[in-house]
Amino acid sequence: VLGSLEASVGGPLFRVAEVLGDDRLRLGADEPGRESRLVARGATMDKVAIKAGDEVRLDPTGRFAIEHFPRREAREYFFEEVPDLSWDDVGGQDEAIKLIRETIELPLIHPEIFAQYEKKPIKGILLYGPPGCGKTLIGKAAAANLTKAYADRVGHPVKEVFLSISGPKILNMWLGETERMVREIFSIAREKAKEGNLVFIFMDEAESVLRTRSSGRWLNISNTVVPQFCAE
């Protein structure tokens, strides 16, 4: 023995696909070109809270996870700061604003009335029109105003989380990768909602992803992405 080798600062990074209950991690299942593998937590990782989607660094033997990297939440999609917008700041879209307030705001502010009449709130609204007509502005105004109204109802501050996703940015050439990103977007939204936030998912240029099923001449991503999006 000539000497002791310093601890390695490098090594392969893998995405965590599943956290198993017996101090093991399943890695790489959702990544194209990488096979799935099972590794054990290293001694320094016993108390680390690891979630699916995070990344871990393996030791040189590839058997133990020794360093944790939290999920980079703003990679393909990103959180946007919502400015303090009132409905009066959105001009020429009275019909769209009226629809949003009646179908999204009222069930949020007066859920007891909808429960009395056994009416379920809608799950989303499709805004369509040429570029520059105010679709994104309406989305941000909805997030700002609905959060204020909801905070007044519950009696404590509530933070809005505005997930702005561009349809073309989540398209991926690898089979199944776009579907994974759709699942991950909604998974993050549910995590943020559990923390007490009011979450808005705004998908811009949705027609690039949500096309008519079986609309392509060959295998088309709409055949799998559209059902995945509907399921989420």
Side-chain angles (χ1 to χ4, degrees), residues 31-172:
E31 294 190 12
R34 274 190 174 180
E35 60 182 15
S36 180
R37 65 167 65 184
L38 286 174
V39 299
R41 289 173 180 251
T44 59
M45 302 279 284
D46 289 342
K47 306 299 183 183
V48 178
I50 303 176
K51 300 179 181 179
D54 292 352
E55 290 180 318
V56 293
R57 180 171 67 90
L58 303 185
D59 73 311
T61 68
R63 296 187 299 166
F64 297 95
I66 58 176
E67 190 173 359
H68 173 237
F69 295 90
R71 174 170 44 199
R72 294 173 293 175
E73 294 178 325
R75 191 185 51 165
E76 285 84 14
Y77 40 85
F78 48 90
F79 296 87
E80 276 200 12
E81 291 293 331
V82 178
D84 188 11
L85 290 170
S86 69
W87 288 122
D88 295 332
D89 295 326
V90 183
Q93 297 292 352
D94 295 337
E95 183 179 352
I97 293 173
K98 181 172 181 274
L99 175 67
I100 290 176
R101 301 194 70 171
E102 289 179 352
T103 55
I104 297 182
E105 183 174 327
L106 288 181
L108 192 66
I109 306 304
H110 304 288
E112 67 282 353
I113 298 178
F114 283 76
Q116 179 181 350
Y117 289 95
E118 298 182 352
K119 295 285 288 182
K120 293 183 179 180
I122 66 170
K123 296 184 177 180
I125 284 182
L126 176 65
L127 300 173
Y128 63 93
C133 68
K135 299 185 293 295
T136 304
L137 187 64
I138 288 176
K140 292 183 177 181
N145 288 275
L146 267 62
T147 303
K148 285 182 182 177
Y150 184 68
D152 292 340
R153 178 185 180 276
V154 297
H156 59 78
V158 178
K159 179 175 176 54
E160 74 278 348
V161 174
F162 192 77
L163 287 169
S164 180
I165 301 116
S166 176
K169 285 187 178 180
I170 66 173
L171 291 176
N172 195 291

Side-chain angles (χ1 to χ4, degrees), residues 1 9 35 62 70 76 114 146 180 183 192 211:
V1 178
V9 296
E35 60 182 15
E76 285 84 14
F114 283 76
L146 267 62
R180 182 194 66 79
R183 291 194 302 269
K192 295 296 182 182
R211 304 173 186 173

Side-chain angles (χ1 to χ4, degrees), residues 123 182 186 190 210 213 224-232:
K123 296 184 177 180
V182 170
F186 281 89
R190 294 187 187 100
L210 306 178
R213 295 192 210 183
T224 53
V225 174
V226 174
Q228 181 68 60
F229 185 85
C230 293
E232 294 294 337

